[in-house]
Amino acid sequence: MTDSQFQNVKINRDRLWNDLHETCVWGKGERWGEGNTDIGMKRLTLTDSDKQVRDWFVKTTESLGCKVSIDAMGNIFAVRPGKKDGPPTYAGSHLDTQPTGGRYDGILGVHAGIEVLKTLNDKDITTEYPVGVINWTNEEGARFPISMIASGVWAGAYSLEKAYSLVEVGGGSATQKSELERIGYLGFLEASYKANPIGAHFELHIEQGPILEKSNGKIGAVEGVQAYRWFLITVKGADCHTGTTDFKNRSDAMLTAAKLILHSHNKATEMGCLASTGILTLKPGSTNTVPGLVQFSLDIRSKEDALLLKLEEALKAEFAQIAAGEEAGGLNTLGTRGRGCTVDWQLDTDSPATKFHEDCIKCVEQSAKDMLGTNAAPQVQRMTSGAGHDSVYTSRRAPTSMIFVPCRDGVSHNPAEYCSPEDCGNGAQVLLGAMLRYDQLRAEKGA
Amino acid sequence: MTDSQFQNVKINRDRLWNDLHETCVWGKGERWGEGNTDIGMKRLTLTDSDKQVRDWFVKTTESLGCKVSIDAMGNIFAVRPGKKDGPPTYAGSHLDTQPTGGRYDGILGVHAGIEVLKTLNDKDITTEYPVGVINWTNEEGARFPISMIASGVWAGAYSLEKAYSLVEVGGGSATQKSELERIGYLGFLEASYKANPIGAHFELHIEQGPILEKSNGKIGAVEGVQAYRWFLITVKGADCHTGTTDFKNRSDAMLTAAKLILHSHNKATEMGCLASTGILTLKPGSTNTVPGLVQFSLDIRSKEDALLLKLEEALKAEFAQIAAGEEAGGLNTLGTRGRGCTVDWQLDTDSPATKFHEDCIKCVEQSAKDMLGTNAAPQVQRMTSGAGHDSVYTSRRAPTSMIFVPCRDGVSHNPAEYCSPEDCGNGAQVLLGAMLRYDQLRAEKGA
């Protein structure tokens, strides 16, 4: 196909919008506005509502002429035949949501893939290699607490046993395996990139950040996913009375934690990284007792693994200095030097930086330019994903890239998450073009 | 009596030590060491164990020739007659403890008062005016959640109805009134300084801080109790993803709270006050979500009411500036200016500064010098109490002072709270001398 031919294969934007919202009857969440679709989603993985949307997915893709197979993690692969055999070029994402999620995160990526199949049928296009759509299981990690677990098993990052034995959060006793069995999605196909290889993986997703919206960008061509490391930081001091203990005689774990959190921000700013604290607990928890124990989460991120490690090393050294009352980062300049605290680091999650495949990235960029025309340049932006996605794992075993579209105010994991019909359509159109371009590239290379 | 006569009236230190620990069989708490008395206390007010020690108090003081009366708040007044009638010169404190308390906080003060009575009996001394011992109800506020409530009712700071209707913490339904009735300590005497006046109030207490111990002090002559105000501070930002949201686009309530906590410390240092945060909660509480809401307690203290208000005013203005990202206190110098947060203040407790009576303070000082002799000067120190005590309320209606003795490492409200036999004895000896000196002063003044 020529460039002008690619440009003329157009998805049906209204159909996509309608299909997407029709499936959101399964797992309705909180209403946040007056409109028909102003209702969030609560479709936790492997629940009854997840089974309903999975059944719809299988029925719909089979009706489009796809062969559907389900692997041992409940991942669903719908494949439309091409001229030749070979691992399919996939659109993939997930239909599960957070407990207070919206109707775009993950869902849009799967629907856009189905819209690609519908468009190919409408236009009677046969691709060089098979193309397909994947619905990955439990991307969110909200019910069974490891995110991207099923694409992780497929990629060999987790064992099947570990994934099966995960117990639901919130006090229930269901495991990921028992729920796969219960809803009839424990498949026969091995959950493995070896048994079930992928030719390429394209994932359309809302950005979940404000960068595109703020810069009037329309399409993000995602180059990779930043590295992140999650720590549990424990600050130990000593409980004492807030009224009877002067500052000099305190080992104030909360004051020290405040300094460390601020310093992690200052240092991350200096080094062009991110640092965030989302959880903090303290003991004993009384207005007139200086806390002797504080634990807080520290999430640090960078595009580069080496830079992230450099940040970690700096923070480890400087946290200890600050806690001991030494001069570091200006945190002990103005106050009173007390008796000091100790700081302990525990690594909970290590996710190295992911680099997507240049061929795939270029297909996304070119497809975006096909759609946007002569003024495309500032509206198509190369980006790094801040969050993890199933594409992190597929990229370990197959050429991968992602397509980002703006979401309102960068809000996601929230009922009011919103992606406009225009942006949803733009994303699906770019997905179609990228898949067709990549299919042609494979044929040219004979891959 | 002459100075040398005062010096020769000596309490029985062994008897005091033995009596104190013998009553600690009622309400034993956690064991923290190997010794016979290395066991903390859990004698919550108006429980069965509190009834047992109250019964012992009544029986013991009656056996010493006292007239015992109980008021409507269960406060117990044991009075030994003097040469003349009139409001008694009292030693007062409390026999109730924290749930994980020790065996000195409050208990020592009551026992020292009883040891004073025993010593007067041994020496056959008749004071000019009556002398006595008070056991105040629920000083701790641990079971029924207002501390010093019963001395507060006596002083007219709280209504009897409010005190009676307090419900026990922890989910039970007992009220302070129902428990007073249940254990037989709802007395007939009106709980009021008018119906039951006090001539003077001396309270021996462990310091609950490290100042005396650190400075080799033996006796603190307490001039008053510092002012404190407790606030609930609410910081509102916006939840967002830690990976997908750059610093500029965040309204990070946790980072802002960290800056405010640090600034409260820095400003309190600058102004010679105290500031502490003992409780902090945040929402939503996920490692990869920037918290949109943080609430924390802020306890600020000063010897002077005016200075405390000045600190509060400064913090109110500067918290708002810091949260908005403006330059204040150096807190926004190094990091990234985000979208800002809002700060709301709620006043929960207002306890103005208390000044004790100079006559009483001087009696304590002179009595300490009687005991310590020529080297007394550095070992007797004028102090301000950081914590509240029943003496705060008695001082509103009668001449009052307190005597502090060191406790190990300044630790209290902890099973391992410890005051040595020497310091317990020192405290009781100074209490005796102060009460005798004040009694003589009253007689001289004809009060």
Side-chain angles (χ1 to χ4, degrees):
Chain A
M1 288 171 85
T2 64
D3 275 9
S4 67
Q5 283 173 318
F6 281 126
Q7 287 167 29
N8 285 329
V9 188
K10 298 261 171 68
I11 62 130
N12 182 332
R13 286 161 176 258
D14 290 340
R15 179 172 60 190
L16 169 67
W17 185 253
N18 289 334
D19 284 357
L20 188 152
H21 291 297
E22 277 177 13
T23 65
C24 288
V25 295
W26 300 304
K28 275 187 188 172
E30 292 174 28
R31 175 171 280 284
W32 57 268
E34 297 300 311
N36 288 340
T37 64
D38 296 351
I39 303 170
M41 291 297 292
K42 182 183 182 174
R43 191 158 67 200
L44 290 156
T45 195
L46 308 183
T47 56
D48 289 349
S49 57
D50 188 34
K51 174 185 166 51
Q52 286 172 306
V53 76
R54 284 166 172 265
D55 290 349
W56 168 87
F57 178 92
V58 171
K59 197 177 126 195
T60 301
T61 53
E62 282 181 344
S63 77
L64 296 172
C66 292
K67 179 173 178 292
V68 176
S69 50
I70 297 160
D71 76 9
M73 278 304 298
N75 298 315
I76 314 176
F77 301 82
V79 179
R80 182 178 185 270
K83 292 175 191 166
K84 310 184 203 38
D85 277 345
T89 297
Y90 281 113
S93 200
H94 59 97
L95 291 168
D96 71 316
T97 77
Q98 290 282 327
T100 55
R103 31 178 78 195
Y104 305 90
D105 176 355
I107 301 173
L108 173 61
V110 175
H111 271 279
I114 291 172
E115 178 56 34
V116 167
L117 299 180
K118 287 184 176 178
T119 304
L120 294 178
N121 281 4
D122 292 347
K123 312 288 182 186
D124 204 16
I125 294 171
T126 303
T127 51
E128 300 292 326
Y129 291 89
V131 294
V133 185
I134 306 171
N135 174 43
W136 296 103
T137 297
N138 190 22
E139 193 269 354
E140 294 290 357
R143 185 178 178 204
F144 300 101
I146 296 182
S147 59
M148 298 123 60
I149 182 78
S151 54
V153 171
W154 174 86
Y158 296 105
S159 70
L160 194 64
E161 292 65 39
K162 182 174 178 107
Y164 276 173
S165 63
L166 283 182
V167 178
E168 63 186 343
V169 301
S173 60
T175 64
Q176 206 155 221
K177 186 177 188 190
S178 73
E179 284 296 273
L180 280 167
E181 279 175 334
R182 187 184 69 80
I183 68 165
Y185 276 87
L186 185 71
F188 297 109
L189 183 62
E190 191 184 341
S192 161
Y193 67 96
K194 291 176 188 159
N196 181 30
I198 286 177
H201 189 264
F202 289 91
E203 184 168 4
L204 167 64
H205 207 280
I206 55 172
E207 183 203 337
Q208 303 183 273
I211 299 168
L212 285 171
E213 189 186 58
K214 288 252 158 188
S215 60
N216 293 315
K218 287 290 174 193
I219 296 292
V222 185
E223 295 179 291
V225 178
Q226 67 184 339
Y228 60 91
R229 286 166 76 80
W230 289 358
F231 298 93
L232 177 68
I233 311 287
T234 301
V235 182
K236 277 193 190 145
D239 303 358
C240 64
H241 195 296
T242 59
T244 60
T245 321
D246 61 13
F247 283 154
K248 282 186 188 166
N249 284 298
R250 294 188 184 187
S251 298
D252 187 334
M254 185 60 234
L255 175 64
T256 301
K259 292 175 184 174
L260 303 185
I261 291 166
L262 175 53
H263 187 63
S264 71
H265 170 82
N266 291 346
K267 197 78 188 177
T269 291
E270 180 190 322
M271 293 176 62
C273 301
L274 291 176
S276 315
T277 290
I279 300 174
L280 187 147
T281 57
L282 55 76
K283 285 184 182 170
S286 167
T287 300
N288 64 346
T289 304
V290 172
L293 182 73
V294 174
Q295 292 191 302
F296 64 89
S297 64
L298 181 69
D299 168 341
I300 58 173
R301 304 196 183 220
S302 169
K303 291 181 189 179
E304 303 292 337
D305 290 324
L307 190 59
L308 193 65
L309 285 175
K310 208 173 143 194
L311 173 64
E312 180 184 334
E313 280 166 22
L315 291 182
K316 278 188 172 157
E318 289 158 8
F319 273 18
Q321 291 174 321
I322 291 166
E326 295 167 25
E327 195 45 75
L331 276 307
N332 288 318
T333 312
L334 298 173
T336 306
R337 182 170 172 163
R339 293 186 187 182
C341 293
T342 61
V343 184
D344 176 68
W345 289 63
Q346 176 187 308
L347 178 66
D348 284 341
T349 301
D350 177 17
S351 182
T354 299
K355 303 289 181 195
F356 288 150
H357 199 286
E358 188 60 25
D359 287 349
C360 294
I361 302 165
K362 281 184 178 156
C363 287
V364 170
E365 278 184 321
Q366 193 53 54
S367 172
K369 286 171 189 167
D370 291 345
M371 179 181 74
L372 295 165
T374 48
N375 295 322
Q379 298 178 69
V380 185
Q381 302 175 9
R382 287 211 171 197
M383 309 182 69
T384 296
S385 171
H389 297 282
D390 291 312
S391 288
V392 167
Y393 286 121
T394 65
S395 75
R396 295 191 184 183
R397 306 299 177 188
T400 293
S401 183
M402 295 184 71
I403 301 154
F404 276 177
V405 286
C407 58
R408 186 173 52 194
D409 292 331
V411 168
S412 72
H413 290 192
N414 186 304
E417 171 183 288
Y418 181 74
C419 181
S420 71
E422 183 199 343
D423 288 321
C424 287
N426 284 349
Q429 182 64 44
V430 173
L431 178 68
L432 169 66
M435 289 172 77
L436 288 179
R437 282 187 172 274
Y438 192 81
D439 177 62
Q440 179 163 296
L441 191 66
R442 284 176 73 182
E444 286 165 12
K445 288 187 173 178
Chain B
M1 290 172 84
T2 63
D3 275 8
S4 67
Q5 282 173 318
F6 281 125
Q7 286 168 29
N8 285 328
V9 188
K10 298 262 170 68
I11 62 130
N12 183 330
R13 287 162 176 259
D14 291 339
R15 179 171 62 191
L16 169 67
W17 184 254
N18 289 333
D19 284 357
L20 188 152
H21 292 296
E22 275 177 14
T23 64
C24 287
V25 295
W26 300 304
K28 275 187 187 172
E30 292 175 27
R31 174 171 279 285
W32 56 268
E34 296 301 309
N36 288 340
T37 64
D38 296 350
I39 303 169
M41 291 296 292
K42 182 183 181 174
R43 191 158 69 201
L44 290 157
T45 195
L46 309 184
T47 56
D48 289 348
S49 56
D50 189 34
K51 174 186 166 53
Q52 288 173 305
V53 77
R54 285 166 173 264
D55 289 349
W56 168 88
F57 178 92
V58 171
K59 196 176 126 195
T60 301
T61 51
E62 282 181 344
S63 78
L64 295 172
C66 291
K67 179 174 178 290
V68 175
S69 49
I70 297 160
D71 75 9
M73 279 303 298
N75 299 315
I76 314 176
F77 301 82
V79 179
R80 182 177 186 270
K83 292 175 191 165
K84 310 186 204 36
D85 277 344
T89 296
Y90 280 113
S93 199
H94 59 97
L95 291 167
D96 70 317
T97 78
Q98 290 282 325
T100 56
R103 33 178 75 196
Y104 305 91
D105 176 354
I107 301 174
L108 173 61
V110 175
H111 272 279
I114 291 172
E115 178 57 32
V116 166
L117 300 181
K118 287 184 176 177
T119 304
L120 295 179
N121 281 5
D122 292 347
K123 312 286 182 187
D124 205 16
I125 296 171
T126 303
T127 50
E128 300 293 326
Y129 291 88
V131 296
V133 185
I134 306 171
N135 174 43
W136 296 104
T137 296
N138 191 23
E139 193 269 354
E140 294 291 356
R143 184 178 179 205
F144 300 101
I146 297 181
S147 60
M148 297 124 61
I149 182 79
S151 54
V153 171
W154 173 87
Y158 296 106
S159 70
L160 194 65
E161 293 65 41
K162 181 174 178 108
Y164 276 172
S165 62
L166 282 182
V167 178
E168 63 184 345
V169 301
S173 60
T175 64
Q176 206 155 222
K177 185 179 189 188
S178 73
E179 285 295 274
L180 280 167
E181 279 175 333
R182 187 185 68 80
I183 67 165
Y185 277 86
L186 185 70
F188 297 108
L189 183 62
E190 191 183 341
S192 161
Y193 66 96
K194 291 175 188 161
N196 180 30
I198 285 178
H201 190 262
F202 289 91
E203 183 168 4
L204 166 64
H205 207 281
I206 55 171
E207 184 202 335
Q208 302 182 276
I211 298 168
L212 284 172
E213 189 185 58
K214 288 252 160 188
S215 60
N216 293 316
K218 288 289 173 193
I219 296 291
V222 185
E223 295 178 292
V225 178
Q226 67 184 340
Y228 59 91
R229 286 166 76 82
W230 290 358
F231 298 94
L232 177 68
I233 310 287
T234 301
V235 182
K236 277 194 190 142
D239 302 359
C240 65
H241 195 296
T242 59
T244 60
T245 322
D246 61 14
F247 283 154
K248 281 186 188 166
N249 284 298
R250 294 187 184 188
S251 298
D252 188 335
M254 185 60 235
L255 175 64
T256 301
K259 291 175 185 174
L260 304 184
I261 290 166
L262 176 54
H263 187 63
S264 72
H265 169 82
N266 292 345
K267 198 77 189 177
T269 290
E270 182 190 322
M271 293 176 62
C273 301
L274 291 177
S276 316
T277 290
I279 299 173
L280 187 146
T281 57
L282 54 76
K283 285 183 181 172
S286 167
T287 300
N288 65 346
T289 304
V290 173
L293 182 73
V294 174
Q295 294 192 301
F296 64 89
S297 64
L298 182 68
D299 168 341
I300 57 173
R301 303 196 184 220
S302 168
K303 290 181 190 179
E304 302 293 337
D305 290 323
L307 190 60
L308 192 66
L309 285 174
K310 207 174 143 193
L311 173 63
E312 179 185 334
E313 280 166 22
L315 291 181
K316 277 187 172 156
E318 289 158 8
F319 274 17
Q321 291 174 319
I322 291 166
E326 295 167 25
E327 195 45 76
L331 277 308
N332 288 318
T333 312
L334 297 173
T336 306
R337 183 171 171 163
R339 294 186 187 181
C341 293
T342 61
V343 184
D344 176 67
W345 291 61
Q346 175 188 307
L347 177 67
D348 285 341
T349 301
D350 176 17
S351 181
T354 298
K355 304 288 180 194
F356 289 150
H357 199 286
E358 187 62 25
D359 288 348
C360 294
I361 301 166
K362 281 185 178 155
C363 287
V364 169
E365 278 184 321
Q366 192 53 53
S367 172
K369 286 171 188 165
D370 291 344
M371 179 182 73
L372 294 163
T374 48
N375 295 322
Q379 299 178 69
V380 184
Q381 301 174 10
R382 286 212 171 196
M383 308 182 70
T384 296
S385 171
H389 296 282
D390 291 312
S391 288
V392 166
Y393 287 121
T394 64
S395 75
R396 296 192 183 182
R397 306 299 177 187
T400 293
S401 182
M402 294 185 72
I403 301 155
F404 275 177
V405 285
C407 57
R408 186 172 52 196
D409 292 331
V411 168
S412 72
H413 290 193
N414 186 304
E417 171 184 287
Y418 182 75
C419 181
S420 70
E422 184 200 341
D423 287 322
C424 287
N426 285 348
Q429 181 63 45
V430 173
L431 178 68
L432 169 66
M435 289 173 77
L436 288 179
R437 282 185 173 277
Y438 192 80
D439 178 63
Q440 180 162 294
L441 191 68
R442 286 177 73 182
E444 287 165 12
K445 287 187 172 179

